[in-house]
Amino acid sequence: MTFTPAKWPRKLRSQEWYGGTSRDTIYHRGWLKNQGYPDDLFDGRPIIGVMNTWSELTPCNGSHMKDIAEKVKAGIWEAGGFPVEVPAFSASENTYRPTAMMFRNLAAMAVEESLRGQPIDGCVLLVGCDKTTPSLMMAAASTDLPTIVVTGGPMLNGYFRGERVGSGTHLWKFSEAVKAGEMTQEEFLEAEQSMSRSSGTCNTMGTASTMASMAEALGMALSGNAAIPAVDSRRRVIAQLSGRRIVQMVKDDMKPSDILTKEAFENAIRTNAAIGGSTNAVIHILALAGRTNVELTLDDWDRCGRDVPTIVNLLPSGEFLMEEFFYAGGLPVVLKRLGETGLLHRDAITVSGSTIWDEVKDVRNHNENVILPAEKALAQSGGIAVLKGNLAPNGAVLKPSAATPALMTHRGRAVVFEDIDDYKARINDEDLDIDETCIMVMKNCGPKGYPGMSEVGNMGLPPKVLKKGITDMIRISDARMSGTAYGTVVLHTSPEAAAGGPLAVVQSGDMIEIDVPNRRLHLDITDEELAARLANWTPHHETFDSGYAWLHQAHVEGADTGADLDFLKGCRGSPVGRDAH
Ligand code: FES
């Protein structure tokens, strides 16, 4: 793969607003001068949008993002560009209801139009929390303006009574421990203080760390970006270097379409397997590919990930946290390992202008307990397993590194919850007819059903099972699962129940067979019985008749293709359009 830089100097799109002496130009330029900008800033230099997802209600992208933005802007000034910081839709994971996922596509749409409709020649995406990274990358891919990603970085390690506490992961662990009678509610409240110790995103290999790693593996961020802690001075350094680099990318006209090739996507999928990354990456990467000309399917996830061992020993699959991953050398070490074992397209181009292999070939692993040798891998086949069968004709996913090996092949009796409310109402009932050999099934939590597809797929086990010391059971749903969660959890079952998929007609007492080695998910009823049940099915989920919730429900696609809105797919470029003045 080669990239040929464009000729420089040439007229940039921002000059359609600011170049020349027409009335319209004077209007645009004069207005911006009320900020105190001198004349020579409008001489045709690259204008860079610093798209900042900072928000006081997105604590993962908290006030440190303002400092990072200043460093990015310093780099842009140094390189002869003109930075303009622009607020970007910030879909916070821990505040938005019903789920931030419902707003990923809205954020992508808002940022896409913000880029296209304004005098911007290139952009830096300041992102971090789970949905902010994919939504802004989707927007950038659809406009295809030169783009570089800078993430806010993960939090420092948390500790509770001397033990590492991982974001999210320990919330699930402690909550189950309270239900099992192994921890008091007071201790749980005490632990709350230790979970978020500094600014930054989740410190586990949750979705935020995964998507930061995906941006780096795709070549959309400078090498080393993903793991630098939010509060480490080197986070500021890479921000400044990214600011310098985007100016040259604009001059070279290096666009996302030059970087986001099929090879880059395959590198990302294999990286996700190696890091034990979040199942959410499946949806986001498919959605991102849908904004490009690259054909990427759920089957590519299974095909590319199968031979990749999970070598990053981080919670929730392993032991350590992002801080230790950074000290061990971070993602470049993982990419080097993939490159040494024939699992990386070495000549994929990155935002640096170099190949991904040139960026990583000389790095060293500083801690083999954190980035493991292959023979000590957490899972030898660490890739996301894509299961298919009459229960999931379009596929469902499972993360082997977070699952229990003994449950990978299992036949069990279904205990069905019609939706999350039904689950909450009955799960603590001591009379619930369930034991650890059963398979818990939950419906109506997919992209249309919830709506937005919430992270409830790792539904907690019933207390009567937990009290026996059992910590895992098979769970199947059309929901997602937090990247910080774990367990033998089958997710994203497609088509979802609310769209009339077979999941909608599973009944308590049905037998279900799961066979991960053979990628099979089977509801053990006859074809005739399944057809009869589907013919009598009526929707059960809440529906909306106005507002964004209506737009989302009417147009969202299935999880198997990325859950984008159908009318947002594809690259629309960045034409400057007409001037209304
Ligand atoms: Fe925002 Fe985890 S909740 S990064």
Side-chain angles (χ1 to χ4, degrees):
M1 283 147 269
T2 53
F3 170 74
T4 308
K7 268 178 63 180
W8 181 259
R10 64 179 191 286
K11 185 180 173 189
L12 296 174
R13 74 189 296 272
S14 60
Q15 285 294 296
E16 295 285 342
W17 284 260
Y18 296 131
T21 55
S22 70
R23 183 201 63 178
D24 290 349
T25 302
I26 290 168
Y27 167 72
H28 294 302
R29 202 169 45 215
W31 214 261
L32 201 57
K33 282 183 176 173
N34 81 351
Q35 298 298 301
Y37 293 126
D39 243 349
D40 60 348
L41 292 186
F42 301 91
D43 60 2
R45 68 187 66 197
I47 296 185
I48 309 295
V50 180
M51 312 305 288
N52 197 345
T53 54
W54 167 78
S55 162
E56 287 186 343
L57 278 177
T58 309
C60 323
N61 301 9
S63 55
H64 70 296
M65 299 294 272
K66 294 190 201 176
D67 301 340
I68 291 171
E70 290 308 316
K71 287 295 190 180
V72 169
K73 286 153 78 175
I76 293 168
W77 287 124
E78 284 171 349
F82 180 178
V84 284
E85 188 177 345
V86 181
F89 191 118
S90 190
S92 169
E93 199 59 32
N94 42 49
T95 47
Y96 259 103
R97 292 185 176 190
T99 163
M101 182 62 183
M102 189 166 113
F103 306 99
R104 183 201 66 181
N105 299 332
L106 180 62
M109 183 162 63
V111 175
E112 176 184 339
E113 300 308 334
S114 180
L115 290 171
R116 183 179 297 114
Q118 302 193 83
I120 290 171
D121 301 309
C123 60
V124 180
L125 308 181
L126 294 190
V127 291
C129 193
D130 300 17
K131 304 303 175 294
T132 57
T133 306
S135 60
L136 268 65
M137 285 206 292
M138 288 160 68
S142 278
T143 52
D144 209 23
L145 287 169
T147 301
I148 195 165
V149 174
V150 177
T151 50
M155 291 182 232
L156 297 175
N157 282 4
Y159 291 94
F160 176 63
R161 299 184 174 175
E163 300 280 328
R164 274 183 203 86
V165 173
S167 318
T169 305
H170 277 82
L171 185 69
W172 322 125
K173 278 193 199 297
F174 291 156
S175 157
E176 299 281 82
V178 171
K179 278 200 250 172
E182 296 162 0
M183 186 179 201
T184 65
Q185 185 66 24
E186 291 66 37
E187 288 171 320
F188 193 12
L189 286 170
E190 192 187 331
E192 176 189 328
Q193 309 299 327
S194 61
M195 287 184 187
S196 304
R197 190 177 139 229
S198 76
S199 298
T201 53
C202 287
N203 55 18
T204 41
M205 187 51 82
T207 304
S209 300
T210 299
M211 291 312 298
S213 301
M214 293 295 90
E216 190 172 328
L218 285 164
M220 291 294 291
L222 288 183
S223 189
N225 170 77
I228 308 171
V231 297
D232 194 296
S233 58
R234 286 161 282 191
R235 173 63 52 198
R236 274 74 179 158
V237 172
I238 206 160
Q240 190 156 341
L241 294 176
S242 299
R244 291 180 190 170
R245 179 63 198 156
I246 189 64
V247 176
Q248 190 60 45
M249 286 175 69
V250 170
K251 290 178 179 175
D252 292 347
D253 199 26
M254 181 182 236
K255 304 182 295 295
S257 57
D258 297 309
I259 297 165
L260 295 175
T261 59
K262 179 88 180 197
E263 290 76 11
F265 281 106
E266 291 187 350
N267 283 345
I269 291 171
R270 293 194 172 103
T271 299
N272 190 65
I275 63 177
S278 166
T279 45
N280 285 323
V282 178
I283 295 183
H284 299 321
I285 293 296
L286 288 172
L288 179 61
R291 301 300 186 101
T292 71
N293 294 325
V294 174
E295 280 262 338
L296 196 77
T297 68
L298 200 49
D299 293 334
D300 288 315
W301 276 86
D302 202 287
R303 176 180 60 80
C304 293
R306 268 189 192 239
D307 300 328
V308 185
T310 300
I311 55 171
V312 176
N313 187 13
L314 256 57
L315 286 165
S317 300
E319 197 179 339
F320 296 98
L321 295 168
M322 287 298 284
E323 195 180 334
E324 282 118 344
F325 186 40
F326 173 58
Y327 300 146
L331 198 72
V333 177
V334 178
L335 294 171
K336 182 182 181 186
R337 186 79 69 76
L338 291 173
E340 288 169 339
T341 49
L343 294 169
L344 186 79
H345 296 290
R346 292 184 179 195
D347 53 356
I349 295 288
T350 79
V351 287
S352 70
S354 306
T355 67
I356 198 160
W357 182 246
D358 279 340
E359 293 291 336
V360 304
K361 65 183 189 311
D362 297 323
V363 300
R364 285 177 45 211
N365 184 359
H366 301 296
N367 190 336
E368 293 216 333
N369 293 318
V370 177
I371 305 174
L372 303 165
E375 62 276 13
K376 291 189 181 164
L378 299 180
Q380 285 303 332
S381 179
I384 300 290
V386 178
L387 311 180
K388 289 192 176 172
N390 68 348
L391 188 47
N394 295 350
V397 304
L398 176 137
K399 179 176 169 180
S401 64
T404 302
L407 291 174
M408 293 300 200
T409 309
H410 185 77
R411 178 181 163 87
R413 173 170 59 87
V415 176
V416 175
F417 303 98
E418 291 301 321
D419 55 24
I420 185 69
D421 296 323
D422 184 29
Y423 163 79
K424 285 181 178 169
R426 294 196 289 131
I427 191 62
N428 295 326
D429 185 348
E430 287 294 322
D431 293 331
L432 183 66
D433 183 14
I434 192 167
D435 63 36
E436 59 274 23
T437 66
C438 292
I439 294 180
M440 297 166 66
V441 176
M442 184 158 59
K443 307 174 183 176
N444 292 303
C445 292
K448 284 184 196 292
Y450 195 82
M453 200 178 182
S454 70
E455 293 186 327
V456 294
N458 57 316
M459 52 194 124
L461 306 193
K464 64 199 267 187
V465 171
L466 286 169
K467 283 174 189 155
K468 290 191 223 172
I470 307 287
T471 55
D472 197 9
M473 285 173 65
I474 295 176
R475 290 153 272 179
I476 299 174
S477 72
D478 46 11
R480 295 177 302 118
M481 167 172 95
S482 166
T484 62
Y486 50 87
T488 310
V489 186
V490 178
L491 302 154
H492 312 179
T493 303
S494 302
E496 63 174 303
L503 182 71
V505 296
V506 181
Q507 297 175 357
S508 285
D510 287 344
M511 296 304 288
I512 293 176
E513 292 168 10
I514 180 169
D515 180 356
V516 178
N518 291 303
R519 302 302 198 247
R520 185 163 177 265
L521 187 61
H522 180 70
L523 177 63
D524 194 8
I525 60 175
T526 64
D527 292 348
E528 293 73 27
E529 170 69 11
L530 180 56
R533 288 190 195 178
L534 286 170
N536 287 324
W537 169 77
T538 51
H540 174 82
H541 62 288
E542 182 182 12
T543 54
F544 296 83
D545 56 12
S546 65
Y548 176 70
W550 168 82
L551 185 75
H552 171 88
Q553 260 182 341
H555 291 279
V556 71
E557 296 195 330
D560 56 307
T561 55
D564 202 356
L565 300 185
D566 50 13
F567 62 89
L568 289 177
K569 294 178 86 168
C571 175
R572 287 164 283 283
S574 46
V576 292
R578 271 189 299 179
D579 193 330
H581 300 105

